[in-house]
Amino acid sequence: MTAELPRPASTPRRSRKAEAQQRDSTSGTGRRTPRLSYEDWVDGALALLAREGPGSLRIPSLCAALGVTKGSFYWHFDDIGQLEEAMAAHWSATQGQIIAGLAAVDSIPVEDRIEAMATMLVERNWLVEATVREWSRTRPHVADAVRELDQRIFQVIQSALAELGFDAESARLRAGALVYLGIGFIHGRDSLPTPTTDQINTIVALLTAPGDASITE
């Protein structure tokens, strides 16, 4: 049975101007829709973060990269911290949906689910992943999003290993090793050879082989 995943982060607070816009639109006094939507800003900020790092997350830099004025920014956000909260929540929710989707497909044999998770290590956007994790060192709300995602991944893998027949302690230790393996791949991409899907599956097989379902005996 699939373990219950932690609840996703709460919806980020919205700009007071954006809330006023919603009230005006429902009351019939509508205003002109800004050129960039709230989602456009979040996606654009995440793309800039991946290209240029956390130092780029300044309002002038964001406006220049997106080709808009500061007025567009303040239409959606009260300050840069509010945008950063939205970025962290969006990144965590997007990654969490992928993991939850794999965990929810009970019709897929557990071995295939584990292999699919291993394949994700190669196919994920490592640049964004590494940048967000580096960013989390100085932003507590980003660190919370990273921690929540890691816990989701850990629980999904631990549940899959339990289905394979590992006892609780063995499943916990092996799931931890696999999660650390994934984090290591992310941070070692610039200094170590990038593993192929077959190589990752070989490593995963060593930790999920059911021949010795207990490492505590």
Side-chain angles (χ1 to χ4, degrees), residues 14-153:
R14 300 293 293 268
S15 163
R16 290 187 292 273
K17 288 184 178 180
E19 292 173 351
Q21 179 194 21
Q22 286 187 334
R23 289 195 299 271
D24 289 342
S25 64
T26 56
S27 64
T29 61
R31 301 175 182 176
R32 186 176 62 178
T33 302
R35 186 158 58 93
L36 288 184
S37 68
Y38 179 87
E39 291 73 20
D40 289 335
W41 268 100
V42 174
D43 289 339
L46 281 169
L48 184 62
L49 173 70
R51 290 196 308 270
E52 301 184 16
S56 66
L57 295 181
R58 300 188 305 273
I59 294 174
S61 300
L62 287 163
C63 291
L66 296 174
V68 294
T69 64
K70 289 184 180 179
S72 176
F73 175 87
Y74 287 110
W75 185 268
H76 295 292
F77 306 98
D78 294 327
D79 50 44
I80 195 69
Q82 194 176 71
L83 171 60
E84 290 181 350
E85 289 179 10
M87 293 166 63
H90 178 70
W91 173 81
S92 179
T94 300
Q95 300 301 315
Q97 287 169 4
I98 297 172
I99 301 300
L102 285 174
V105 184
D106 293 330
S107 60
I108 298 178
V110 63
E111 295 86 355
D112 293 342
R113 267 182 277 153
I114 291 176
E115 182 176 338
M117 292 179 208
T119 301
M120 284 175 56
L121 289 174
V122 175
E123 296 180 347
R124 288 172 77 176
N125 190 329
W126 288 15
L127 178 59
V128 172
E129 185 89 7
T131 305
V132 169
R133 288 178 180 275
E134 184 63 28
W135 184 35
S136 72
R137 295 176 182 272
T138 58
R139 294 295 188 274
H141 51 273
V142 181
D144 288 342
V146 170
R147 188 179 304 109
E148 178 182 315
L149 177 64
D150 287 344
Q151 289 173 352
R152 289 186 187 186
I153 295 172

Side-chain angles (χ1 to χ4, degrees), residues 154-198:
F154 175 84
Q155 289 190 13
V156 168
I157 295 175
Q158 184 180 36
S159 177
L161 290 170
E163 286 187 54
L164 284 174
F166 289 100
D167 61 47
E169 181 64 6
S170 297
R172 184 185 71 82
L173 292 174
R174 290 171 189 253
L178 286 166
V179 172
Y180 276 115
L181 180 67
I183 294 172
F185 282 146
I186 291 167
H187 287 286
R189 75 192 192 286
D190 292 330
S191 56
L192 296 171
T194 300
T196 65
T197 300
D198 288 341

